[in-house]
Amino acid sequence: MKQEPQKVITKKGERFIIPIGPQHPALKEPGHFEFAVDGETVTDATVRLGYVHRGIEKGVESRNWVQNLYMLERICGICSHTHAMTYCLGVEKLAAVEVPERAQVIRLIVAELERIHSHMLWLGVAAHEAGFDTLFMYTWRDRETVMDLLELLSGNRVNYSANLLGGVKFDISPQQADKIRQGLAFLAERNTHYLDVVMNDMLLLGRIRGVGVMTRDQAEKLGAIGPTARASGVARDVRLDAPYGAYRMFKPKLILETAGDLEARFIVRLREIADSCRLINEALDNLPPGDLTVRMPRRIKEGETISRVEAPRGEAFYFIKSNGSDLPERIKVRTPTICNMGSVLALARGHQLADMPMILVGIDPCFSCNDRMITLRRPDGEAETWSWGQLCEYGIKAYQR
Amino acid sequence: MSAQELLASARALLETFVAEYNTPEEDRLDIWIAATNLPHAVRALHNAGWGYLSAVTGLDLGPEAGQLEALYHFCNGPAVLTLRVRLGRATPSVPTLCTIIPSASFFERELSEMFGITVEGTPNTDHLYLPDDWPDGVYPLRKDFDPSTLHITG
């Protein structure tokens, strides 16, 4: 599916851009970045999203509170639990309903399994974009373990649908808990190996050490969140800053690195996998007895609330307004990729074009909302449209020279 | 610092701009300010290193009320401070925050295409989410927009 960069017809003072896609067999998801370049150096970057925009924020206004749970957990496959949980926490707060402890702990266990699954997926994608396909194959093979565990609990590998307004749908039996412990022991061991590879493989280090540096000050001011912020030494983790649900009982460790480069973002995520394993084991050992659900009213009391959850990529932010009926007045969803994309693009200036794929992948962009198509603008007015694949290949070749 | 202490410090920073305020939940503070004061208030927070701009929410209070609202949410540890700006529905306009926080660009593009709120001075006014051929003057997150009027072809 390889293509030569397409030349773009340009007249003086007028620019035509011939896009590949947004629907294209070689691109996994649609989206569109534009990088202005001077030689090899990026001088400006913008993004155009929305090719898969589904109008969910409008859609929720004509569906009732229960229907919206199913709608919102389909915002993202990887973070389906995060979205459902953020929504439930907000609506439960508005309804002044206290969820049983056992349900809260089960939510935490699924959330941390989801984090492991998401970080391992990212590790594979990042390795692939760097041209390190062996690491990609191994991580995705091992990721099957955590997906099997999620299937064991929920019957599904991706949309686990663990949440209900007022609790969770399924329990965790002692036999299932043992299976999870075994799976986590395997994953923790593999994770140690991956950490060793990332910190010692000279070829990979060439692509990630000192690349895409975001200083602590920049990360703080630009509002970077999640592992991207923590890799720059910013102590930002909603699970610790504003503990919700079972995170009041079980505390994650704050994983911080100070270098702020891509290597730091690898290390933070890998160490978070290890900590999630620890957290799940602790929760399984202390699973409180009790009910799984509590009764929820059909109409939700009038009011506004904000709920925040630490998704694998950083803080997910929901603003929920109820007018007292069975339909919400407004639900605003702000996903973590938007914050990190804004901060990384603000910093793209001055970096090498060859580093762009890795810098973008470094924030773990939720690819269901991002484009894989790149427009190059050279100062002489020649514009070219590249696919994401072509840019990655360019990056890999540039480092082989 | 506790959420209350953090919010008290934000309140002190913004004292001169506060038109109205409300504490809807113990970890939240809503402050209504005039649109012209928005960059000054954000500059004050930014200079003091108070939190980060986490999200911008648009609200349509409905054609009867004749008002829109833009909500700028700043998070700092457990505390959420929301700067709220009420705008007339006919010609809503807010000043840009991009000169202070460059990453606010995405939020401002979304606010203008979804609610028809003009963001004065924002560097990029292209659509972020809506299609290029989306009709002018149609704002999908306003309450009087009816999705069933969308003409779907093919």
Side-chain angles (χ1 to χ4, degrees), chain A residues 87-216:
Chain A
Y87 172 70
C88 286
L89 288 169
V91 179
E92 287 153 6
K93 210 161 22 160
L94 278 176
V97 161
E98 191 64 38
V99 173
E101 266 195 3
R102 188 174 179 89
Q104 292 186 20
V105 177
I106 292 174
R107 279 181 183 175
L108 175 142
I109 291 169
V110 178
E112 294 305 319
L113 285 171
E114 182 175 72
R115 191 179 317 280
I116 296 173
H117 144 50
S118 176
H119 282 0
M120 293 193 75
L121 176 124
W122 171 82
L123 181 60
V125 172
H128 171 69
E129 306 295 20
F132 194 172
D133 276 339
T134 316
L135 183 59
F136 159 58
M137 295 291 178
Y138 274 120
T139 50
W140 278 39
R141 182 199 69 179
D142 294 341
R143 175 171 159 269
E144 287 298 309
T145 308
V146 68
M147 305 204 57
D148 287 347
L149 294 178
L150 285 160
E151 188 186 359
L152 170 81
L153 289 177
S154 69
N156 275 315
R157 286 157 54 87
V158 180
N159 268 318
Y160 343 108
S161 200
N163 291 278
L164 283 173
L165 286 171
V168 291
K169 277 182 202 151
F170 52 78
D171 204 356
I172 298 180
S173 69
Q175 293 78 12
Q176 287 173 324
D178 282 340
K179 281 257 164 65
I180 295 174
R181 287 190 189 96
Q182 284 166 19
L184 292 179
F186 169 73
L187 287 173
E189 188 197 314
R190 293 298 298 163
N191 195 52
T192 316
H193 170 64
Y194 295 136
L195 203 53
D196 178 49
V197 170
V198 166
M199 292 168 84
N200 293 305
D201 185 282
M202 291 319 286
L203 284 174
L204 184 63
L205 283 179
R207 296 294 309 271
I208 63 176
R209 185 167 281 175
V211 175
V213 177
M214 191 189 308
T215 65
R216 184 177 167 170

Side-chain angles (χ1 to χ4, degrees), chain A residues 31-340:
Chain A
H32 178 92
F33 290 105
E34 273 189 41
F35 295 116
V37 289
D38 184 0
E40 296 297 302
T41 311
V42 173
T43 56
D44 203 10
T46 59
V47 67
R48 171 78 163 90
L49 303 173
Y51 296 100
V52 286
H53 193 262
R54 292 157 289 174
I56 283 181
E57 285 185 25
K58 188 72 181 176
V60 294
E61 291 177 11
S62 55
R63 285 166 176 80
N64 69 37
W65 293 101
V66 176
Q67 290 171 321
N68 281 331
L69 174 62
Y70 298 91
M71 177 94 125
L72 292 167
E73 73 186 359
R74 277 158 184 79
I75 286 178
C76 176
I78 311 284
C79 291
S80 65
H81 182 70
T82 298
H83 282 282
M85 185 161 67
T86 319
Y87 172 70
C88 286
L89 288 169
V91 179
E92 287 153 6
K93 210 161 22 160
L94 278 176
V97 161
E98 191 64 38
V99 173
E101 266 195 3
R102 188 174 179 89
Q104 292 186 20
V105 177
I106 292 174
R107 279 181 183 175
L108 175 142
I109 291 169
V110 178
E112 294 305 319
L113 285 171
E114 182 175 72
R115 191 179 317 280
I116 296 173
H117 144 50
S118 176
H119 282 0
M120 293 193 75
L121 176 124
W122 171 82
L123 181 60
V125 172
H128 171 69
E129 306 295 20
F132 194 172
D133 276 339
T134 316
L135 183 59
F136 159 58
M137 295 291 178
Y138 274 120
T139 50
W140 278 39
R141 182 199 69 179
D142 294 341
R143 175 171 159 269
E144 287 298 309
T145 308
V146 68
M147 305 204 57
D148 287 347
L149 294 178
L150 285 160
E151 188 186 359
L152 170 81
L153 289 177
S154 69
N156 275 315
R157 286 157 54 87
V158 180
N159 268 318
Y160 343 108
S161 200
N163 291 278
L164 283 173
L165 286 171
V168 291
K169 277 182 202 151
F170 52 78
D171 204 356
I172 298 180
S173 69
Q175 293 78 12
Q176 287 173 324
D178 282 340
K179 281 257 164 65
I180 295 174
R181 287 190 189 96
Q182 284 166 19
L184 292 179
F186 169 73
L187 287 173
E189 188 197 314
R190 293 298 298 163
N191 195 52
T192 316
H193 170 64
Y194 295 136
L195 203 53
D196 178 49
V197 170
V198 166
M199 292 168 84
N200 293 305
D201 185 282
M202 291 319 286
L203 284 174
L204 184 63
L205 283 179
R207 296 294 309 271
I208 63 176
R209 185 167 281 175
V211 175
V213 177
M214 191 189 308
T215 65
R216 184 177 167 170
D217 189 51
Q218 287 168 328
E220 261 171 14
K221 298 240 155 109
L222 291 167
I225 49 180
T228 310
R230 293 194 284 276
S232 293
V234 179
R236 231 173 238 170
D237 186 329
V238 187
R239 295 175 295 168
L240 290 159
D241 296 341
Y244 48 90
Y247 291 102
R248 297 191 192 98
M249 294 173 255
F250 304 101
K251 297 277 172 207
K253 268 192 219 120
L254 183 66
I255 313 279
L256 280 186
E257 283 288 316
T258 50
D261 59 357
L262 279 166
E263 186 190 6
R265 287 170 214 159
F266 271 84
I267 294 172
V268 164
R269 288 202 182 83
L270 285 166
R271 287 175 55 206
E272 283 185 10
I273 294 178
D275 190 54
S276 291
C277 291
R278 176 196 66 80
L279 203 57
I280 296 167
N281 277 320
E282 208 179 302
L284 286 172
D285 293 344
N286 298 286
L287 200 58
D291 291 337
L292 294 181
T293 51
V294 68
R295 209 177 151 72
M296 280 289 285
R298 194 167 62 85
R299 295 172 199 281
I300 302 297
K301 268 184 266 179
E302 196 174 336
E304 292 175 356
T305 195
I306 285 170
S307 60
R308 299 154 68 201
V309 159
E310 187 71 17
R313 292 160 183 76
E315 173 197 56
F317 181 107
Y318 273 49
F319 171 90
I320 304 173
K321 181 175 179 179
S322 171
N323 53 19
S325 75
D326 58 346
L327 309 177
E329 173 76 14
R330 170 97 170 97
I331 299 178
K332 164 78 200 160
V333 178
R334 200 273 293 135
T335 53
T337 298
I338 283 294
C339 286
N340 287 331

Side-chain angles (χ1 to χ4, degrees), chain B residues 32-152:
Chain B
W32 279 266
I33 60 171
T36 46
N37 281 334
L38 184 66
H40 306 293
V42 173
R43 175 79 67 187
L45 291 174
H46 192 71
N47 288 350
W50 200 98
Y52 58 98
L53 178 62
S54 181
V56 177
T57 303
L59 280 183
D60 184 0
L61 305 181
E64 302 86 51
Q67 281 191 319
L68 300 173
E69 222 177 329
L71 280 66
Y72 297 80
H73 308 282
F74 288 83
C75 294
N76 189 355
V80 183
L81 167 75
T82 304
L83 299 179
R84 307 179 71 129
V85 183
R86 283 207 192 100
L87 303 161
R89 224 159 168 277
T91 50
S93 166
V94 289
T96 184
L97 297 181
C98 287
T99 43
I100 310 163
I101 308 169
S103 48
S105 168
F106 286 0
F107 298 139
E108 294 181 346
R109 283 165 74 180
E110 184 183 2
L111 195 64
S112 63
E113 68 182 348
M114 295 296 176
F115 287 91
I117 297 174
T118 311
V119 185
E120 297 291 345
T122 194
N124 188 342
T125 54
D126 293 349
H127 280 169
L128 180 63
Y129 296 114
L130 293 179
D132 290 331
D133 59 356
W134 186 265
D136 283 345
V138 177
Y139 305 113
L141 283 179
R142 287 209 186 181
K143 286 290 174 189
D144 48 8
F145 171 76
D146 177 5
S148 66
T149 59
L150 282 183
H151 182 60
I152 296 162

